[in-house]
Each structure stands twice: as structure tokens, then as C-alpha cells.
Amino acid sequence: MKNYDVKEKLLQIMTEDEVKIDEPLSQYTYTKIGGNADYLLFPTTFEQLQQAYKIALLAEIPITILGNGSNVLIKDGGIRGAVFNLTKLADIRLEGDKVFAQSGAALIDTSRFALEQSLTGLEFACGIPGSIGGALYMNAGAYGGEIADVLESATVLTADGEIISVQKEDLELGYRTSNIAKNNYVVIEAVFQLQAGSYDVIKAKMDELTYLRESKQPLEYPSCGSVFKRPPGYFAGKLIQDSNLQGTKIGGAQVSTKHAGFIVNVDNATADDYISLIKHVQKTVKENYNVNLETEVRIIGEDK
């Protein structure tokens, strides 16, 4: 839409701190990589999110949703249009045996909240560094559990800016997938149906899973988490390891020597470094085992 001052409209509903112009996204991702966003927005309420979303729709600019940046790789050219960072929508509350978590809440914090209420079901999530919104987007899981096991419903913003409630069954949750992207939904809150349990038993399980994560994953380096989905009948990390790719570097990106399923930023890597290394790993594994490795990490943005 011509003659539509996006910044002016946004500042009528948001503060200067909540509207950042030409902001480097590398400050907001776990990889410490990413070019600039035209507009980076930090809504603090559902209503503010909805209003800002409709401003972007009226301005006919692209819209991108960013959680806490844990399972995303943003290209070096950054992202055009409006990027919504939802980390300020982070409230978690209890109603009976149901946990309500806003989209920007950390999945780890949500699992700890459940522990404090002696509610079982979210133990598997105690080491997953994503946000609630991102967890629903990809049906996050670990150690035999996944979001689909405990999710009851979600509140979402639709493509035309309306807020609706959807049941778990309507989200088509599968292995690291959902229809959230296809429907252009923005998750703003999730409802988890949990069960009463023993605090000590729940804590013991979470301590065990935390130990496994810390002992096996390269947490000492910036990374985007597990890069590839598990191919049917195989483990991505094992295929990469057996292809002698551990330690392989392109630029500042390296296949982790601790866990082959991770690519870590060891020396000021660029997104191009990451993407080139991902393609090299995919090509090598395909040549060696005729297995296609599909990325689990979400790659977005423009080339520099």
C-alpha cells in the first residue's frame, strides 16, 4: 500500500523499545548468525500482536514469526518486512491439571513449571531449548516424547489477523511437522493436558534427561540444535559419523566432534558457511548410504 508509514503506525501501538529498525538478527538466534530485519517487533500482549500484524497486512509487507531463535538459521541477507519476535509473550499459568503457556515461553521453563506443580507429561521437554510456538510448529520432541502427546489445544492468529482456538487434531501434528506453516497460523498460546504425579519421580526423570543432553550435545558452542530429521530406519548422527564427517569445517561452521547431528559455530560462521556444510553432509551421506537427510532446522531469509 503506497503512502503508508509503517513505523508511524507501529509506534502508535508500541514503544520505541518494541519497534527496532534494520536490526541485526544475529543477536536473537542460537547460532549467533543472521542479517538484518527491516522491522523487528516485540509485542507484549495478544492484542498488540494482532494490531501490529494487521498493520503489516495493510502495508502489504512480508511477515515472519521468530521465537527464541533456537532451531532456525537466518541467511546473511536478513529478512525483509516485519519480523515478530514473540519472546515477551512468555506467561505460564495453571488451571487445574492444565498448563497454559504463551508462545514465547521457553519449553524448558514450561517443563520446570509443570514439575513445580507435580504434573507429569512434559519431562521429555526439559532440555529442548525452543519456545512454545516453535515447539508446536515442528511438534518438538526428544527421548521418546513429543508435543502431540500432551497438547490439548492452541490459540492462534490466522493469516487475516483473527484470533481463534484450534484443537490438537486440527494441527496435523506428525514427526517434526504440523500444518501451522501451511495455514499461516501464528501460535500465541498452548494448552497442555498433564497428569498428577510425584515431584521426586518427575524431577529424577528430568535430571536424568538433562545429564544425557549435557553429556552428549555440544552445548559449549553456538548451534541450531539437531540439524537433520531422523531418516526412517536410521539415525542421522550415526550416518554422518560413519561417513567420517565429524570435524569437517566450511568457514566457521563445523560438524560437531561431540555429536555428529549438530553443526556448531566455532569461528564467526556465516549462514553461507552453515548452508554449504549442510549440503556437503547431505551429498556425502547420499553417496555413501543412498539416504536423503532432510533438514529439521528452519532456514529463512535472503542471501547477502
Side-chain angles (χ1 to χ4, degrees), residues 23-24 35 49 54 134 153 199 266:
E23 181 76 358
L49 166 62
K54 288 185 175 181
S153 63
Y199 177 92
V266 295

Side-chain angles (χ1 to χ4, degrees), residues 90-273:
D91 287 346
I92 307 169
R93 72 182 193 278
L94 182 69
E95 291 187 14
D97 54 4
K98 297 178 182 180
V99 171
F100 290 68
Q102 292 183 354
S103 60
L107 193 52
I108 291 173
D109 291 344
T110 308
S111 71
R112 289 173 181 162
F113 178 87
L115 166 65
E116 294 302 321
Q117 314 304 320
S118 297
L119 291 173
T120 183
L122 274 173
E123 292 89 330
F124 74 89
C126 68
I128 300 175
S131 64
I132 291 295
L136 267 65
Y137 182 94
M138 64 175 295
N139 188 23
Y143 301 112
E146 61 182 12
I147 289 296
D149 298 335
V150 289
L151 183 69
E152 179 182 90
S153 63
T155 303
V156 302
L157 190 68
T158 66
D160 58 1
E162 300 308 312
I163 295 176
I164 64 170
S165 179
V166 293
Q167 295 302 302
K168 173 178 75 173
E169 294 74 20
D170 299 325
L171 294 176
E172 299 176 9
L173 298 171
Y175 175 65
R176 303 299 175 266
T177 186
S178 72
N179 65 13
I180 289 170
K182 181 178 71 175
N183 290 333
N184 288 316
Y185 287 156
V186 180
V187 175
I188 57 178
E189 188 170 63
V191 182
F192 299 106
Q193 175 64 69
L194 305 179
Q195 305 296 323
S198 161
Y199 177 92
D200 291 338
V201 171
I202 297 167
K203 186 176 187 303
K205 183 64 175 177
M206 290 173 65
D207 288 345
E208 176 191 356
L209 296 182
T210 299
Y211 171 76
L212 288 173
R213 175 174 178 263
E214 291 178 349
S215 62
K216 293 183 177 181
Q217 296 183 13
L219 304 180
E220 63 273 24
Y221 292 108
S223 83
C224 54
S226 181
V227 176
F228 303 101
K229 295 181 181 179
R230 185 180 68 243
Y234 298 91
F235 290 99
K238 183 72 163 56
L239 291 171
I240 297 166
Q241 183 178 348
D242 291 347
S243 295
N244 296 316
L245 288 167
Q246 280 188 282
T248 300
K249 284 180 65 179
I250 292 181
Q254 180 184 57
V255 177
S256 170
T257 56
K258 190 173 184 180
H259 189 310
F262 287 68
I263 293 177
V264 291
N265 182 354
V266 295
D267 186 18
N268 298 310
T270 65
D272 279 350
D273 294 340

